Amino acid sequence: MKTPGQGLTREEILHEMGFAPLWRLRTPLAANPPGAAGQPALAAPGEVTADTSSSGEAAPGAAEAGRAARIAHMDWPELQASVAACRACQLCSERRQAVLGVGDVHADWLFVGEAPGAEEDARGEPFVGPAGKLLDAMLAAIDLRRGDDVYIANAVKCRPPRNRTPEAGEMAACAPYLQRQIALIQPRLIVLLGRAAAQALLGEIGPLGSLRGRSLSFSPPDGSARPIPLVVTYHPAYLLRTLPDKAKAWEDLCRARALMRTLQ
Ligand code: URA
Protein backbone atom coordinates (compact mmCIF):
# COMPACT_ATOMS: atom_id res chain seq x y z
CA MET A 1 0.00 0.00 0.00
CA LYS A 2 1.21 3.47 -0.76
CA THR A 3 1.96 5.74 2.15
CA PRO A 4 0.35 9.21 2.14
CA GLY A 5 2.83 11.75 0.97
CA GLN A 6 4.93 9.11 -0.78
CA GLY A 7 3.65 8.87 -4.31
CA LEU A 8 0.00 9.66 -3.67
CA THR A 9 -1.64 12.27 -5.82
CA ARG A 10 -3.48 15.13 -4.18
CA GLU A 11 -6.81 13.50 -5.17
CA GLU A 12 -5.72 10.23 -3.56
CA ILE A 13 -4.66 12.01 -0.38
CA LEU A 14 -7.98 13.84 -0.16
CA HIS A 15 -9.80 10.62 -0.89
CA GLU A 16 -7.86 8.94 1.93
CA MET A 17 -9.07 11.69 4.23
CA GLY A 18 -12.62 11.29 3.00
CA PHE A 19 -12.79 14.73 1.34
CA ALA A 20 -12.23 14.26 -2.33
CA PRO A 21 -13.32 15.62 -4.64
CA LEU A 22 -15.35 18.18 -2.71
CA TRP A 23 -12.86 20.17 -0.72
CA ARG A 24 -11.26 22.78 -2.84
CA LEU A 25 -10.27 26.19 -1.60
CA ARG A 26 -12.80 28.79 -2.70
CA THR A 27 -10.60 31.83 -2.15
CA PRO A 28 -6.89 32.12 -2.70
CA LEU A 29 -5.42 31.86 0.77
CA ALA A 30 -2.81 34.51 0.23
CA ALA A 31 -5.55 37.02 -0.57
CA ASN A 32 -7.20 36.46 2.76
CA PRO A 33 -4.52 36.53 5.41
CA PRO A 34 -5.35 36.48 9.10
CA GLY A 35 -6.26 39.99 10.15
CA ALA A 36 -8.01 40.74 6.89
CA ALA A 37 -11.68 41.66 7.12
CA GLY A 38 -13.65 38.75 8.48
CA GLN A 39 -10.54 36.90 9.53
CA PRO A 40 -9.27 36.77 13.07
CA ALA A 41 -5.95 38.47 13.67
CA LEU A 42 -3.18 36.87 15.61
CA ALA A 43 -3.27 37.71 19.24
CA ALA A 44 -0.82 40.49 19.87
CA PRO A 45 1.78 40.05 22.56
CA GLY A 46 0.05 40.89 25.80
CA GLU A 47 -3.26 39.76 24.35
CA VAL A 48 -2.36 36.14 24.71
CA THR A 49 -5.26 33.79 25.22
CA ALA A 50 -3.32 30.79 26.42
CA ASP A 51 -3.66 30.27 30.14
CA THR A 52 -0.37 28.69 31.04
CA SER A 53 -1.51 28.26 34.62
CA SER A 54 -3.25 25.16 33.26
CA SER A 55 0.03 23.37 33.73
CA GLY A 56 -0.92 23.04 37.38
CA GLU A 57 -4.56 22.79 38.44
CA ALA A 58 -3.86 24.32 41.79
CA ALA A 59 -0.87 26.44 42.67
CA PRO A 60 1.97 23.98 42.29
CA GLY A 61 3.74 22.98 45.44
CA ALA A 62 7.44 23.52 45.91
CA ALA A 63 8.27 20.02 44.70
CA GLU A 64 6.25 20.42 41.52
CA ALA A 65 7.70 23.88 40.93
CA GLY A 66 11.22 22.53 41.41
CA ARG A 67 10.56 19.66 39.02
CA ALA A 68 9.10 22.03 36.43
CA ALA A 69 12.10 24.32 36.79
CA ARG A 70 14.51 21.42 36.25
CA ILE A 71 12.61 20.25 33.18
CA ALA A 72 12.61 23.80 31.84
CA HIS A 73 16.42 23.64 31.59
CA MET A 74 16.77 20.20 29.99
CA ASP A 75 18.26 19.53 26.60
CA TRP A 76 16.81 16.82 24.33
CA PRO A 77 18.78 13.86 25.74
CA GLU A 78 17.95 14.93 29.30
CA LEU A 79 14.31 15.37 28.39
CA GLN A 80 14.18 11.97 26.72
CA ALA A 81 15.76 10.33 29.77
CA SER A 82 13.52 12.19 32.18
CA VAL A 83 10.34 11.24 30.32
CA ALA A 84 11.48 7.62 30.05
CA ALA A 85 12.03 7.42 33.80
CA CYS A 86 9.13 9.65 34.84
CA ARG A 87 7.02 8.52 37.80
CA ALA A 88 5.22 11.80 38.39
CA CYS A 89 1.77 10.30 37.97
CA GLN A 90 0.02 6.95 38.10
CA LEU A 91 0.28 6.37 34.34
CA CYS A 92 3.85 5.14 34.77
CA SER A 93 2.62 1.95 36.41
CA GLU A 94 0.90 0.57 33.30
CA ARG A 95 2.93 1.97 30.43
CA ARG A 96 5.32 -0.14 28.42
CA GLN A 97 7.28 2.97 27.61
CA ALA A 98 6.81 6.71 27.66
CA VAL A 99 6.47 8.38 24.26
CA LEU A 100 8.17 11.75 24.04
CA GLY A 101 7.52 12.67 20.42
CA VAL A 102 8.86 12.28 16.93
CA GLY A 103 10.14 14.47 14.16
CA ASP A 104 12.26 17.42 13.26
CA VAL A 105 13.45 19.16 16.43
CA HIS A 106 13.76 22.39 14.46
CA ALA A 107 10.34 22.08 12.86
CA ASP A 108 8.16 25.05 12.00
CA TRP A 109 5.11 22.86 12.63
CA LEU A 110 4.25 21.23 15.92
CA PHE A 111 1.22 18.93 16.09
CA VAL A 112 0.01 17.98 19.57
CA GLY A 113 -2.32 15.08 20.28
CA GLU A 114 -3.70 13.61 23.48
CA ALA A 115 -1.74 10.58 24.69
CA PRO A 116 -0.23 7.39 23.32
CA GLY A 117 -2.56 4.50 22.57
CA ALA A 118 -1.72 0.80 22.53
CA GLU A 119 0.37 0.86 19.36
CA GLU A 120 2.21 4.01 20.38
CA ASP A 121 2.93 2.50 23.80
CA ALA A 122 4.34 -0.59 22.10
CA ARG A 123 6.40 1.23 19.47
CA GLY A 124 7.43 4.35 21.34
CA GLU A 125 6.28 6.74 18.62
CA PRO A 126 3.19 8.97 18.61
CA PHE A 127 0.36 8.45 16.15
CA VAL A 128 1.35 5.14 14.61
CA GLY A 129 -2.08 3.47 14.90
CA PRO A 130 -5.24 4.14 12.86
CA ALA A 131 -5.48 7.77 14.05
CA GLY A 132 -1.86 8.19 13.00
CA LYS A 133 -2.64 6.97 9.51
CA LEU A 134 -5.28 9.66 9.24
CA LEU A 135 -2.89 12.23 10.72
CA ASP A 136 -0.33 11.33 8.05
CA ALA A 137 -3.02 11.85 5.41
CA MET A 138 -3.96 15.19 6.97
CA LEU A 139 -0.31 16.25 6.88
CA ALA A 140 0.05 15.14 3.27
CA ALA A 141 -3.07 17.10 2.33
CA ILE A 142 -1.22 20.29 3.24
CA ASP A 143 2.06 19.09 1.73
CA LEU A 144 3.64 18.10 5.04
CA ARG A 145 5.26 14.89 6.08
CA ARG A 146 6.03 13.41 9.48
CA GLY A 147 9.58 14.30 10.40
CA ASP A 148 10.05 16.85 7.64
CA ASP A 149 9.66 20.29 9.23
CA VAL A 150 7.03 18.62 11.44
CA TYR A 151 7.26 17.46 15.03
CA ILE A 152 4.50 15.39 16.62
CA ALA A 153 3.98 15.19 20.37
CA ASN A 154 1.24 14.44 22.85
CA ALA A 155 -0.08 16.36 25.83
CA VAL A 156 0.53 13.26 27.94
CA LYS A 157 3.49 10.99 27.36
CA CYS A 158 2.23 7.71 28.83
CA ARG A 159 -0.70 5.62 27.72
CA PRO A 160 -3.78 5.95 29.93
CA PRO A 161 -5.23 2.51 30.71
CA ARG A 162 -7.84 1.40 28.15
CA ASN A 163 -7.12 4.64 26.28
CA ARG A 164 -9.25 6.66 28.68
CA THR A 165 -9.01 10.44 28.62
CA PRO A 166 -6.07 11.69 30.68
CA GLU A 167 -7.05 13.13 34.03
CA ALA A 168 -6.30 16.70 35.06
CA GLY A 169 -3.49 15.64 37.40
CA GLU A 170 -1.87 13.55 34.67
CA MET A 171 -2.07 16.45 32.25
CA ALA A 172 -0.56 18.76 34.88
CA ALA A 173 2.28 16.34 35.59
CA CYS A 174 3.16 16.15 31.90
CA ALA A 175 2.74 19.85 31.12
CA PRO A 176 6.37 20.79 31.85
CA TYR A 177 7.51 18.24 29.27
CA LEU A 178 5.33 19.63 26.51
CA GLN A 179 6.35 23.15 27.45
CA ARG A 180 10.02 22.19 27.27
CA GLN A 181 9.50 20.56 23.88
CA ILE A 182 7.92 23.78 22.65
CA ALA A 183 10.79 25.85 24.04
CA LEU A 184 13.40 23.60 22.39
CA ILE A 185 11.66 23.31 19.04
CA GLN A 186 10.42 26.91 18.86
CA PRO A 187 7.83 26.07 16.22
CA ARG A 188 6.26 28.85 14.23
CA LEU A 189 2.82 27.31 14.58
CA ILE A 190 1.22 24.72 16.86
CA VAL A 191 -1.76 22.64 15.73
CA LEU A 192 -3.73 21.26 18.66
CA LEU A 193 -5.50 18.00 17.85
CA GLY A 194 -8.51 17.63 20.09
CA ARG A 195 -9.61 18.59 23.52
CA ALA A 196 -6.74 17.29 25.67
CA ALA A 197 -4.16 19.07 23.54
CA ALA A 198 -6.20 22.28 23.65
CA GLN A 199 -6.54 22.03 27.42
CA ALA A 200 -2.84 21.39 27.81
CA LEU A 201 -1.96 24.77 26.32
CA LEU A 202 -5.13 26.81 26.83
CA GLY A 203 -6.36 25.62 30.21
CA GLU A 204 -10.02 24.88 30.84
CA ILE A 205 -11.92 25.28 27.59
CA GLY A 206 -15.53 25.22 26.47
CA PRO A 207 -16.64 23.16 23.50
CA LEU A 208 -13.72 22.36 21.22
CA GLY A 209 -15.67 23.63 18.23
CA SER A 210 -15.81 27.10 19.76
CA LEU A 211 -12.01 27.35 19.50
CA ARG A 212 -11.88 26.51 15.82
CA GLY A 213 -11.05 29.45 13.62
CA ARG A 214 -10.13 31.61 16.58
CA SER A 215 -7.02 33.65 16.98
CA LEU A 216 -5.09 31.97 19.75
CA SER A 217 -1.51 31.79 20.83
CA PHE A 218 0.66 30.18 23.45
CA SER A 219 3.12 32.16 25.51
CA PRO A 220 5.90 30.17 27.12
CA PRO A 221 5.36 30.47 30.90
CA ASP A 222 8.77 32.04 31.50
CA GLY A 223 8.02 34.75 28.95
CA SER A 224 11.29 34.00 27.20
CA ALA A 225 9.90 33.71 23.70
CA ARG A 226 7.28 35.38 21.57
CA PRO A 227 3.74 33.97 21.61
CA ILE A 228 3.30 31.09 19.18
CA PRO A 229 0.08 30.99 17.15
CA LEU A 230 -2.20 28.04 17.78
CA VAL A 231 -4.72 26.37 15.51
CA VAL A 232 -7.25 24.09 17.18
CA THR A 233 -8.87 21.25 15.28
CA TYR A 234 -10.42 17.86 15.86
CA HIS A 235 -8.45 14.82 16.92
CA PRO A 236 -7.91 12.27 14.12
CA ALA A 237 -9.42 9.47 16.27
CA TYR A 238 -12.58 11.56 16.63
CA LEU A 239 -12.60 12.20 12.88
CA LEU A 240 -12.45 8.46 12.23
CA ARG A 241 -15.70 8.15 14.19
CA THR A 242 -17.32 11.36 12.99
CA LEU A 243 -16.85 11.56 9.26
CA PRO A 244 -18.86 14.77 8.66
CA ASP A 245 -16.41 16.75 10.79
CA LYS A 246 -13.53 15.84 8.47
CA ALA A 247 -14.62 18.76 6.33
CA LYS A 248 -14.18 21.09 9.29
CA ALA A 249 -10.74 19.65 9.98
CA TRP A 250 -9.85 20.30 6.37
CA GLU A 251 -10.90 23.95 6.80
CA ASP A 252 -8.71 24.15 9.91
CA LEU A 253 -5.72 22.70 8.10
CA CYS A 254 -6.14 25.14 5.24
CA ARG A 255 -6.32 27.96 7.76
CA ALA A 256 -3.18 26.66 9.46
CA ARG A 257 -1.35 26.52 6.16
CA ALA A 258 -2.45 30.06 5.30
CA LEU A 259 -1.38 31.26 8.71
CA MET A 260 2.01 29.60 8.35
CA ARG A 261 2.55 31.39 5.06
CA THR A 262 2.06 34.70 6.82
CA LEU A 263 4.62 33.69 9.44
CA GLN A 264 7.48 32.86 7.11
N1 URA B 1 -3.84 9.54 19.81
C1 URA B 1 -3.07 10.52 20.30
O1 URA B 1 -3.58 11.53 20.73
N2 URA B 1 -1.77 10.37 20.27
C2 URA B 1 -1.17 9.31 19.79
O2 URA B 1 0.04 9.26 19.80
C3 URA B 1 -2.00 8.30 19.26
C4 URA B 1 -3.32 8.43 19.27
Side-chain angles (χ1 to χ4, degrees):
M1 211 178 88
K2 285 187 278 186
T3 308
Q6 293 177 344
L8 291 187
T9 64
R10 184 158 200 82
E11 255 61 36
E12 286 171 319
I13 291 164
L14 293 176
H15 177 76
E16 183 96 7
M17 291 185 69
F19 305 144
L22 295 176
W23 307 106
R24 297 201 180 280
L25 297 178
R26 275 175 294 194
T27 43
L29 291 168
N32 203 11
Q39 289 286 305
L42 283 183
E47 188 203 323
V48 173
T49 44
D51 173 9
T52 51
S53 67
S54 66
S55 50
E57 284 269 294
E64 285 88 349
R67 173 175 170 266
R70 283 192 300 281
I71 293 171
H73 288 93
M74 288 179 180
D75 60 18
W76 280 110
E78 290 167 337
L79 196 60
Q80 178 73 57
S82 176
V83 166
C86 181
R87 305 197 64 78
C89 80
Q90 61 201 346
L91 294 182
C92 63
S93 62
E94 292 194 43
R95 72 174 178 224
R96 287 162 91 166
Q97 59 189 313
V99 181
L100 176 62
V102 69
D104 177 355
V105 295
H106 303 294
D108 285 339
W109 294 84
L110 171 62
F111 287 78
V112 182
E114 180 175 305
E119 292 192 51
E120 290 77 17
D121 180 59
R123 289 175 50 186
E125 179 172 336
F127 283 101
V128 288
K133 187 165 180 284
L134 178 57
L135 178 59
D136 284 338
M138 293 165 74
L139 295 176
I142 52 169
D143 302 317
L144 295 176
R145 206 151 50 110
R146 178 185 292 250
D148 186 1
D149 203 20
V150 170
Y151 191 93
I152 302 172
N154 281 311
V156 168
K157 312 303 186 198
C158 296
R159 181 192 181 201
R162 294 168 303 285
N163 295 344
R164 66 160 169 73
T165 304
E167 293 171 2
E170 295 158 357
M171 300 263 295
C174 248
Y177 289 135
L178 180 60
Q179 288 170 9
R180 186 59 187 153
Q181 285 175 294
I182 294 171
L184 288 168
I185 298 168
Q186 297 190 20
R188 286 183 200 268
L189 179 64
I190 303 175
V191 180
L192 300 174
L193 303 165
R195 187 168 187 82
Q199 278 178 332
L201 294 191
L202 292 167
E204 220 24 75
I205 57 169
L208 186 80
S210 68
L211 296 178
R212 292 184 48 248
R214 280 191 39 202
S215 171
L216 302 164
S217 60
F218 172 74
S219 279
D222 64 1
S224 60
R226 60 184 165 71
I228 303 168
L230 303 174
V231 169
V232 176
T233 191
Y234 295 109
H235 191 285
Y238 165 83
L239 294 174
L240 289 173
R241 299 189 302 269
T242 320
L243 297 184
D245 280 347
K246 277 189 171 181
K248 295 182 185 167
W250 174 234
E251 277 174 21
D252 298 334
L253 291 176
C254 290
R255 181 170 166 271
R257 183 172 57 178
L259 190 49
M260 180 62 90
R261 285 177 180 161
T262 70
L263 300 171
Q264 283 172 333

